[in-house]
Amino acid sequence: MTETPHHESAKQTDATRRSILATLGGTALGVTTLGITASRAAAAGPGNTAQPAPGLAAACVLTPEQTEGPYYLDLETVRKNITEGKAGVPLTLRVTVVDTATCFPLPNTAVDIWQCDALGVYSGYVAGGSTPDTTFLRGVQLTDSAGVAEFTTVYPGWYVGRALHIHLKTHAGGTVSNGTYHGGHVSHTGQLYFPETYNTKIAALTPYRNNTATRTLNARDGIYRNGGSSTLLSVTQAGTDLSKGVTGTVVVAVNPAATP
């Protein structure tokens, strides 16, 4: 099964309708700036109670929603490390979730992510050598008091028709028991993207260079062009050796009361 802009376009209009209605004439914030502000605000409040920075709420804009795509599995497994031994450049992913109405960080929000491996294969599907009983590169983390959910994963690969991306949902109102998130409702569905400067460097490394699919650039991905720049990760590497790993950060502004 190949996920392409054509395959996903039928879902795309409904997936973004709520975002369009909520723009309110605001301007988008840089994700790095908003992430720092949200974290500092949470730490500065009495008893670590989240507080918005002055003037921030007026500029906070709902993150555009994007299609779920065909590879979602409702596993809801709560775990930080989702690699299951998959090879690739280590990626520490930090997602900050804030309330679009107030720009307060949203604690105890479930961030649910799924992605393909370096060769473009998703777990749980009979495609590209995968099998239905695999669960690699899928997991859920709850946001902390600063609204941050952190994952240990690998930089994703690619497949025909799509730029490099990670799928994401946020869930509100549920609970965790026996290592699984239960109940609540989905408050956001979207995708995260990577800067092309890093994508190009990553593609030259093992095992990514064994991926024979033609890589689609962000600018040529129809899904990315419909709001993807709002969730373009800020990527940094700790040292000069890219293969040792990178950190990706992003801020997602959601309406926690929204439902699909």
Side-chain angles (χ1 to χ4, degrees), residues 185-205:
H185 63 272
V186 175
S187 55
H188 174 81
T189 299
Q191 299 184 26
L192 310 177
Y193 298 90
F194 295 80
E196 292 294 2
T197 51
Y198 276 96
N199 292 343
T200 299
K201 294 175 183 177
I202 291 288
L205 302 177

Side-chain angles (χ1 to χ4, degrees), residues 75-86 93 111-114 123 133-142 149-153 176 179-181:
L75 301 178
E76 310 293 11
T77 304
V78 178
R79 57 180 182 170
K80 180 177 180 178
N81 190 327
I82 64 173
T83 57
E84 292 190 20
K86 276 292 177 179
L93 176 65
V111 177
D112 183 0
I113 68 170
W114 66 103
S123 62
D133 58 353
T134 56
T135 59
F136 58 82
L137 304 179
R138 299 177 182 273
V140 174
Q141 280 285 276
L142 267 62
E150 182 174 299
F151 294 88
T152 299
T153 182
V176 176
T180 304
Y181 187 82

Side-chain angles (χ1 to χ4, degrees), residues 51-66:
Q51 300 289 331
L56 184 58
C60 191
V61 177
L62 192 69
T63 298
E65 290 206 320
Q66 295 198 311

Side-chain angles (χ1 to χ4, degrees), residues 1 70-73 121-134 138:
M1 180 183 296
Y71 297 112
Y72 180 61
L73 294 176
V121 176
Y122 283 87
S123 62
Y125 287 86
V126 182
S130 184
T131 57
D133 58 353
T134 56
R138 299 177 182 273

Side-chain angles (χ1 to χ4, degrees), residues 209-243:
R209 60 188 178 192
N210 296 324
N211 190 332
T212 58
T214 300
R215 183 163 64 89
T216 299
L217 301 180
N218 290 335
R220 292 184 175 274
D221 186 328
I223 309 300
Y224 176 86
R225 291 200 301 267
N226 192 8
S229 60
S230 297
T231 50
L232 185 68
L233 289 165
S234 176
V235 176
T236 57
Q237 63 185 86
T240 57
D241 187 352
L242 182 60
S243 68

